[in-house]
Amino acid sequence: MTTEQDILKRALSKDKRFGYLPEKDRHYTAPMDNDLRFAVIGTGIMGLEHIRITEMEGRARITAVWDPNPAGIAAAVQTVKLIDPSREVKIYKSIEEVASDPETDGLIICTPNYTHLDVLKKLASTGKHILMEKPMATTVHDAMEIRKIAEKYPAVFQLGLQYRFKAPYVEAYRDVMTQELLGDVKMINIAERRIPFLDKVGQWNKQSRYSGGTLVEKCCHYFDIFNLFAGSKPVRVTASGGQDVNFRDFEYDGVRSDILDNAFVIVDYENRVRACFNLCMFSPLFFEELVVCGEKGTLRTWEQEDFMSNDGLQTGYELFCGENGPSRKGSPQYPKMIESSGHSGATFYEHMYFVDNIRGAKTLTATAEEGFWSVVVGAAAEESVRTGKPVMVERMLKNAGIRL
Ligand SMILES: NC(=O)c1ccc[n+]([C@@H]2O[C@H](COP(=O)([O-])OP(=O)(O)OC[C@H]3O[C@@H](n4cnc5c(N)ncnc54)[C@H](O)[C@@H]3O)[C@@H](O)[C@H]2O)c1
């Protein structure tokens, strides 16, 4: 398992300020093994984040990339060269070349949501370790297909639900789930306010058929957090939402955007935990809040970032246990270098655990089953918004031909 010491040493070993040292004098800052070779499939904004963080984490290196978009390839090669100008990156010409290359150990799939199943089918025969971006698919049917492939997969299959590694959620998980400081969890609330979806290659995130809809595409992260803290399976999902501000006149190739930009979602769990999600995507500020109410106390944690100011990421943590035990307030944070590397530092830990998983450790990374349930809640919420009715999860899955 990785220790904090290892992380610091790896960071220092890559710090160019120590480049003046003769090699024999580099002990604490000596270069560390980066013997794992990863290829990135889909070098858009998330693929580039994975490239940077693979190199930053340090035990693996990016040796190859595939993307049909030449600008994405150029950006990927430039990203690696900026880190180490001497490095060569293999550029595949097709997914078939990715599949037939014996010189990689891990594949990071960061293509648009609607392509995940197809890409996985073409790569599954390789038996290489896979990190696949969230949401695993745009429909519960495809998510189940991926889950079936993953459950028989002979190597690591990890899903990119890395929000669970944001510092406030790690702290909350420890207090609520490991130490059970709140007793039994009864209610969970998450609010997200943020700017509209950014541009994408082919603008796939503006249309539900390509993204799964906002509540699948983006919010699977939060439904994953719900599922973790509820410790149970969702039975009913009720939602209200609309496209009231963003992309109302947006068309791409003659097709209008149809994605939600605000919603409320209520999830009822088998164990009677209730969860409520509140989304607004026309806010100038990034803000995320989690509130967990248990029988013995309440926890509230949040992070916010205003890109128009220089304040950086701010976080808060408040644990109120009343007479049941000590309460606590604080501000969970990672080292700045990690925090600023992407998604509040969560992607860094996702990579660290990906390598730990490859090395045989057991970590808390998202499994295909967990990825599946995060899509189930999102898809049920989308359906509830469309129909104006509560969606019973079992019936929705049955209608999709899924029996568990
Ligand atoms: N975990 C997170 O927090 C997080 C954040 C952002 C995006 N994502 C996910 O990452 C994935 C990619 O999103 P993005 O924001 O980078 O999108 P993007 O549009 O910026 O990049 C996608 C890239 O994939 C390429 N591509 C399309 N089809 C391909 C194929 N069949 N084979 C290879 N490359 C292909 C495109 O040319 C593009 O360069 C999506 O699934 C998205 O939901 C996850």
Side-chain angles (χ1 to χ4, degrees):
M1 274 295 270
T2 305
T3 64
E4 290 298 320
Q5 271 277 313
D6 292 333
I7 297 171
L8 181 62
K9 279 180 72 174
R10 274 203 294 279
L12 292 177
S13 73
K14 287 174 166 275
D15 190 325
K16 292 193 170 64
R17 285 174 302 176
F18 298 108
Y20 75 95
L21 284 164
E23 221 172 290
K24 76 178 176 56
D25 293 332
R26 293 192 66 157
H27 171 66
Y28 192 67
T29 65
M32 300 181 79
D33 281 348
N34 61 351
D35 50 338
L36 289 171
R37 301 154 303 175
F38 290 169
V40 172
I41 298 98
T43 54
I45 199 153
M46 201 57 207
L48 295 173
E49 181 167 316
H50 283 298
I51 291 174
R52 280 195 316 276
I53 294 181
T54 297
E55 298 287 340
M56 180 181 167
E57 199 276 339
R59 287 177 293 171
R61 58 191 197 282
I62 300 297
T63 54
V65 290
W66 159 236
D67 191 308
N69 174 26
I73 291 285
V77 172
Q78 194 193 21
T79 302
V80 176
K81 294 268 183 199
L82 270 176
I83 296 161
D84 181 352
S86 69
R87 288 265 302 283
E88 292 303 322
V89 182
K90 191 185 292 179
I91 299 166
Y92 299 119
K93 292 193 182 60
S94 67
I95 193 83
E96 287 71 27
E97 275 192 21
V98 182
S100 62
D101 184 357
E103 292 179 344
T104 51
D105 306 294
L107 306 173
I108 304 180
I109 301 174
C110 329
T111 58
N113 306 348
Y114 69 96
T115 64
H116 288 178
L117 175 58
D118 186 46
V119 169
L120 179 64
K121 279 182 176 165
K122 291 185 169 130
L123 297 179
S125 63
T126 65
K128 294 177 195 281
H129 305 293
I130 287 182
L131 170 55
M132 172 183 269
E133 262 311 334
K134 57 57 36 187
M136 65 206 286
T138 55
T139 63
V140 289
H141 176 272
D142 286 3
M144 191 64 205
E145 291 285 292
I146 291 180
R147 183 177 159 184
K148 282 188 201 152
I149 295 171
E151 283 174 352
K152 285 196 228 119
Y153 201 63
V156 173
F157 184 93
Q158 182 178 321
L159 265 169
L161 288 164
Q162 87 283 32
Y163 276 30
R164 45 169 80 189
F165 301 127
K166 287 187 177 198
Y169 298 150
V170 170
E171 188 111 331
Y173 188 84
R174 191 191 57 211
D175 283 350
V176 177
M177 303 306 288
T178 310
Q179 301 200 24
E180 301 182 3
L181 298 182
L182 303 184
D184 280 352
V185 171
K186 299 294 177 194
M187 297 174 77
I188 311 166
N189 276 266
I190 294 182
E192 186 196 28
R193 295 191 270 286
R194 56 159 283 171
I195 62 171
F197 277 130
L198 297 173
D199 285 339
K200 299 287 161 191
V201 177
Q203 296 289 7
W204 58 266
N205 61 350
K206 308 298 181 306
Q207 278 158 26
S208 297
R209 61 186 286 239
Y210 296 128
S211 72
T214 301
L215 298 174
V216 173
E217 146 57 11
K218 166 77 201 159
C219 308
C220 60
H221 277 304
Y222 303 109
F223 300 140
D224 177 51
I225 306 280
F226 276 177
N227 295 344
L228 274 180
F229 280 84
S232 180
K233 295 278 179 288
V235 287
R236 186 176 63 175
V237 179
T238 315
S240 163
Q243 182 178 28
D244 294 317
V245 178
N246 301 341
F247 312 116
R248 284 166 57 89
D249 300 323
F250 181 92
E251 277 189 13
Y252 194 76
D253 287 344
V255 184
R256 286 195 64 150
S257 170
D258 65 348
I259 50 163
L260 304 175
D261 59 21
N262 69 101
F264 292 115
V265 179
I266 296 172
V267 187
D268 289 286
Y269 284 88
E270 241 166 42
N271 62 356
R272 300 180 60 81
V273 168
R274 286 188 187 83
C276 180
F277 175 65
N278 165 344
L279 175 74
C280 170
M281 294 193 66
F282 37 86
S283 159
L285 188 73
F286 277 91
F287 176 80
E288 222 174 280
E289 180 188 55
L290 165 72
V291 180
V292 184
C293 299
E295 51 184 357
K296 291 189 188 163
T298 295
L299 176 149
R300 173 176 173 260
T301 180
W302 54 269
E303 65 171 42
Q304 77 175 37
E305 192 158 16
D306 176 1
F307 288 122
M308 308 294 267
S309 80
N310 292 322
D311 295 341
L313 183 75
Q314 298 171 315
T315 63
Y317 195 87
E318 299 162 347
L319 177 75
F320 298 105
C321 294
E323 76 280 16
N324 293 312
S327 296
R328 195 168 85 240
K329 285 190 182 182
S331 175
Q333 275 164 357
Y334 290 132
K336 280 282 167 261
M337 188 181 66
I338 292 178
E339 197 174 84
S340 58
S341 63
H343 292 89
S344 316
T347 312
F348 179 87
Y349 287 92
E350 165 180 63
H351 272 260
M352 194 178 91
Y353 296 136
F354 184 45
V355 176
D356 286 346
N357 289 341
I358 292 171
R359 300 255 187 261
K362 239 189 146 21
T363 69
L364 272 182
T365 49
T367 62
E369 183 182 351
E370 290 172 319
F372 169 79
W373 285 108
S374 71
V375 170
V376 166
V377 177
E382 287 279 339
E383 185 179 323
S384 179
V385 170
R386 268 195 312 275
T387 60
K389 295 190 176 131
V391 171
M392 301 309 292
V393 168
E394 201 179 333
R395 184 169 312 152
M396 180 187 78
L397 293 179
K398 208 168 142 195
N399 290 344
I402 299 169
R403 267 173 218 280
L404 296 170

